[in-house]
Amino acid sequence: MKDAHIKQLKEYVNLVEDNLYRYLVGNYNASLEEDVISAMKYSLSAGGKRLRPVLVMEFCRILGGNVEKSLASACAIEMLHTSSLIHDDLPCMDDDDFRRGKPSCHKQFNEWLAVLAGDNLMVKPFEIIANDESISTMTRVKIISLLSKSTGFQGMIGGQVLDIQNETRENITEDILTKTCLEKTGALISCACQIGCLCAEMNQDKVALARQYAENIGLAFQIVDDILDVVGNQELLGKPIGSDQLQNKCTFVTLLGLEDAKLKAEHYTNKALSVLKSFPDNDFLIDLTNSLLVRNY
Amino acid sequence: MKDAHIKQLKEYVNLVEDNLYRYLVGNYNASLEEDVISAMKYSLSAGGKRLRPVLVMEFCRILGGNVEKSLASACAIEMLHTSSLIHDDLPCMDDDDFRRGKPSCHKQFNEWLAVLAGDNLMVKPFEIIANDESISTMTRVKIISLLSKSTGFQGMIGGQVLDIQNETRENITEDILTKTCLEKTGALISCACQIGCLCAEMNQDKVALARQYAENIGLAFQIVDDILDVVGNQELLGKPIGSDQLQNKCTFVTLLGLEDAKLKAEHYTNKALSVLKSFPDNDFLIDLTNSLLVRNY
């Protein structure tokens, strides 16, 4: 990415990281509940690309909205994403002991606290948006509806259901893998871009275009993840290489082969870039989209 | 309860049970995600008193609101309550194999599906309320904010944290037990009464009174639960008697003794009844409040 864009990205990430905890806890003095707050804080501060909040803020900005108006929603969506990571890592789900190079929440604390920390990160975002006086009540209601739907069984949670079912499903087709990915990874990414448009008070046409862009980068993003699991660098990724193969998992790489998977990721990236042409001031987003394709973590 | 009130109660319960599933799934054709929908449906249809939705609808009605306006919120709060039951029963939490006389969700299905069914029942309610066009956007936003706060670490989830911590805490005082109960059981009950007022477009004074009523019945309700665990009928309760004692759990009965616990339940019931005097058309609620004290399940 260009230096100016790296700087802009850092500013967004800092803005999110400086405000996540404030939105989560506010002025509440949680003397007795401090364990669950520590667990939430641990997972929220574990880093990551902060892709979803960045997309919320950048879509808001390029469409003429004040970035401040999108900050609460940006933090809210990062909480929901973090919540899903905590629950996905649980022993009864993907059973992952590490996340971003650190012990996962249930290993650092314990299982019941990880369930409840995830639960809280699943409901709190809706209070944060409902209380966000920088946007109209109608916009808040639209964002909450979209965020809830994108998180539920028609989105992220539904995608996790499919993903676990795929472990034992025979004859997984590219269609099923694509649907799984569109729900599990794509739904919140798509929601982020659409929320950015809503914060800038855009109409449905713009929101639909943002969704189209996001679905394509969601697919490209997942395919690159699958590729990195085969050819990536363990240290940069913060997780072991080859875990998909070890678990005999069906991925875009096992289904299409490495070369065709790379072509597919490029295909979706190009589709995303083509939709971006309908948006003004799109330099940063073009650079970000390309960087998601060529990343090494 | 009087026959007329039993009839009214049944009408409310039927209204909720007839609409829960419709609000949950709508017209969505969930061919691939049907497992998680079956799990949610199983737990939602497992019965129970439906106390929270009944309170939403009755507070709305007595304050001059149309009951139809409160139906979506009533169903939403029952989903959140059900979600907490599913997660509380998990092996890493209270590890209960039965709920209301039937296998708990993770026994009937499996653990990962129970986690995801609970997760979905935790986010879906906010979409339902956000889409509820029978009330103003401002009322929707107020209800969502209240419901999220009452569910999170300052409410139901925080109460579950305290409850699990209490298992190993030394010297549990009545204050800690009361705070645990106010959060774990009381927060959603209180939220239900307040939402009823909001659906009837009442001001903050009325909402605060409803909250006061609810906190008192929440405490009385939990104390009666503790009493029934000692002197109740296993068949009527749908769960084994003496499980608190078996787990060496500190309850209002172990802390105060059976007789003083009964007096305490009466005390809170009387306080609740006294607050009810500020509400019009309160016959049903008086009868319901008394019935919660003398119930045998």
Side-chain angles (χ1 to χ4, degrees):
Chain A
M1 288 179 84
K2 284 185 197 159
D3 283 351
H5 294 154
I6 292 176
K7 185 166 169 277
Q8 190 181 344
L9 187 61
K10 274 191 186 151
E11 280 169 10
Y12 279 145
V13 170
N14 289 341
L15 201 55
V16 172
E17 296 187 345
D18 288 349
N19 286 283
L20 267 176
Y21 188 65
R22 182 175 65 80
Y23 278 119
L24 183 68
V25 181
N27 296 318
Y28 184 66
N29 175 16
S31 54
L32 281 169
E33 300 88 345
E34 59 192 18
D35 283 358
V36 72
I37 291 175
S38 301
M40 290 190 287
K41 204 175 170 182
Y42 174 80
S43 290
L44 281 175
S45 59
K49 284 175 274 293
R50 313 294 190 191
L51 175 62
R52 292 152 195 80
V54 167
L55 288 169
V56 173
M57 292 186 285
E58 178 65 359
F59 267 91
C60 178
R61 190 193 67 78
I62 63 173
L63 294 169
N66 186 330
V67 171
E68 290 293 319
K69 285 188 174 211
S70 65
L71 183 57
S73 296
C75 290
I77 202 166
E78 185 67 4
M79 287 181 201
L80 274 163
H81 172 59
T82 305
S83 158
S84 78
L85 301 182
I86 297 174
H87 282 187
D88 286 1
D89 285 342
L90 287 170
C92 69
M93 301 261 251
D94 299 345
D95 196 14
D96 274 322
D97 289 354
F98 288 91
R99 165 71 62 183
R100 292 167 184 160
K102 290 167 67 180
S104 30
C105 189
H106 68 275
K107 294 302 282 186
Q108 179 72 17
F109 298 89
N110 53 49
E111 224 179 303
W112 68 264
L113 206 56
V115 172
L116 292 172
D119 285 354
N120 195 59
L121 289 172
M122 216 157 258
V123 295
K124 190 73 188 175
F126 300 102
E127 182 186 356
I128 292 168
I129 298 169
N131 291 349
D132 181 10
E133 293 185 353
S134 72
I135 48 178
S136 71
T137 56
M138 181 47 94
T139 301
R140 284 179 247 176
V141 157
K142 280 184 191 167
I143 292 174
I144 288 166
S145 174
L146 179 66
L147 187 58
S148 167
K149 188 173 177 180
S150 308
T151 307
F153 66 88
Q154 291 158 275
M156 185 183 78
I157 293 170
Q160 175 68 354
V161 172
L162 298 187
D163 200 38
I164 296 181
Q165 285 173 340
N166 287 349
E167 289 171 16
T168 53
R169 201 192 302 276
E170 287 180 18
N171 304 321
I172 299 176
T173 60
E174 194 182 336
D175 277 357
I176 291 182
L177 211 57
T178 302
K179 181 173 165 62
T180 304
C181 169
L182 276 176
E183 291 189 357
K184 182 171 174 171
T185 317
L188 266 203
I189 291 178
S190 163
C191 179
C193 300
Q194 294 177 71
I195 286 178
C197 299
L198 291 172
C199 288
E201 312 282 353
M202 283 295 118
N203 62 22
Q204 274 314 113
D205 291 351
K206 220 60 176 178
V207 175
L209 277 170
R211 180 183 169 159
Q212 215 180 312
Y213 161 76
E215 287 182 350
N216 283 295
I217 63 161
L219 285 165
F221 190 84
Q222 183 59 52
I223 298 172
V224 173
D225 257 7
D226 291 352
I227 293 170
L228 288 173
D229 190 72
V230 177
V231 303
N233 177 312
Q234 178 155 337
E235 215 168 306
L236 287 171
L237 283 171
K239 62 181 179 186
I241 297 300
S243 62
D244 289 343
Q245 207 185 355
L246 205 69
Q247 293 171 37
N248 216 358
K249 194 171 175 180
C250 178
T251 71
F252 283 99
V253 174
T254 62
L255 203 68
L256 307 173
L258 196 57
E259 286 315 307
D260 276 0
K262 281 181 186 170
L263 288 175
K264 203 68 147 190
E266 270 174 46
H267 164 77
Y268 287 124
T269 301
N270 288 331
K271 275 179 80 177
L273 289 169
S274 139
V275 181
L276 269 191
K277 289 181 187 148
S278 311
F279 288 88
D281 197 3
N282 55 15
D283 285 5
F284 174 85
L285 279 178
I286 291 172
D287 210 359
L288 180 72
T289 305
N290 280 316
S291 79
L292 292 174
L293 182 66
V294 297
R295 71 200 156 97
N296 50 17
Y297 71 97
Chain B
M1 288 180 84
K2 283 184 198 161
D3 283 350
H5 294 154
I6 292 175
K7 185 165 168 281
Q8 191 179 345
L9 187 61
K10 274 190 187 153
E11 281 169 9
Y12 279 144
V13 170
N14 289 342
L15 202 53
V16 171
E17 296 186 344
D18 288 349
N19 286 283
L20 266 176
Y21 188 65
R22 182 175 64 81
Y23 278 118
L24 184 67
V25 182
N27 295 320
Y28 184 67
N29 175 18
S31 54
L32 281 168
E33 301 88 345
E34 59 193 16
D35 284 358
V36 72
I37 291 175
S38 300
M40 290 191 287
K41 203 174 170 183
Y42 174 79
S43 290
L44 280 176
S45 59
K49 284 176 274 294
R50 312 293 190 191
L51 176 62
R52 292 153 195 80
V54 167
L55 288 169
V56 173
M57 292 186 283
E58 178 65 359
F59 267 91
C60 178
R61 189 194 67 78
I62 64 173
L63 293 169
N66 186 330
V67 171
E68 291 293 319
K69 285 187 174 213
S70 64
L71 183 57
S73 297
C75 289
I77 202 166
E78 186 67 4
M79 287 180 200
L80 274 163
H81 172 60
T82 304
S83 157
S84 79
L85 301 182
I86 296 174
H87 282 186
D88 286 1
D89 285 342
L90 288 170
C92 68
M93 301 262 250
D94 299 346
D95 195 13
D96 274 322
D97 289 353
F98 288 91
R99 166 71 61 182
R100 293 168 184 158
K102 289 167 69 180
S104 30
C105 189
H106 68 275
K107 294 302 281 186
Q108 180 71 18
F109 298 89
N110 53 48
E111 224 179 306
W112 68 265
L113 206 56
V115 171
L116 292 173
D119 285 355
N120 195 60
L121 289 172
M122 215 158 259
V123 296
K124 190 73 187 175
F126 299 102
E127 183 186 356
I128 293 168
I129 298 168
N131 291 349
D132 181 10
E133 292 187 354
S134 72
I135 48 178
S136 70
T137 55
M138 180 49 93
T139 302
R140 283 180 248 176
V141 156
K142 281 184 189 167
I143 291 174
I144 288 166
S145 175
L146 179 66
L147 187 57
S148 168
K149 187 173 178 181
S150 307
T151 306
F153 66 88
Q154 291 159 276
M156 186 183 78
I157 293 170
Q160 175 69 353
V161 173
L162 298 185
D163 200 38
I164 296 182
Q165 285 174 340
N166 286 349
E167 288 172 16
T168 51
R169 200 192 301 277
E170 287 181 17
N171 304 319
I172 298 176
T173 60
E174 194 181 334
D175 277 357
I176 291 182
L177 211 56
T178 302
K179 181 173 166 61
T180 304
C181 169
L182 276 175
E183 291 188 358
K184 182 172 174 169
T185 318
L188 267 204
I189 291 178
S190 163
C191 179
C193 300
Q194 295 177 71
I195 286 179
C197 298
L198 291 171
C199 288
E201 311 283 353
M202 282 294 119
N203 63 21
Q204 273 315 112
D205 291 351
K206 221 58 175 180
V207 176
L209 277 170
R211 180 183 170 159
Q212 214 179 313
Y213 160 77
E215 286 182 351
N216 282 295
I217 62 161
L219 285 164
F221 191 83
Q222 182 60 52
I223 298 171
V224 172
D225 257 6
D226 291 352
I227 292 169
L228 288 173
D229 190 72
V230 178
V231 303
N233 176 311
Q234 177 154 337
E235 215 168 307
L236 288 171
L237 283 171
K239 61 181 179 186
I241 297 301
S243 61
D244 289 343
Q245 208 185 353
L246 205 68
Q247 293 172 36
N248 215 359
K249 192 171 177 181
C250 178
T251 71
F252 283 100
V253 174
T254 62
L255 203 70
L256 307 172
L258 196 57
E259 286 315 307
D260 276 0
K262 282 181 185 169
L263 287 175
K264 203 69 151 189
E266 270 175 46
H267 164 76
Y268 287 123
T269 301
N270 288 332
K271 276 178 79 176
L273 289 170
S274 138
V275 182
L276 270 190
K277 288 181 188 149
S278 311
F279 287 88
D281 198 3
N282 55 16
D283 285 6
F284 174 85
L285 279 177
I286 291 172
D287 209 359
L288 179 72
T289 306
N290 279 315
S291 79
L292 293 175
L293 183 66
V294 298
R295 70 200 157 98
N296 49 18
Y297 72 98

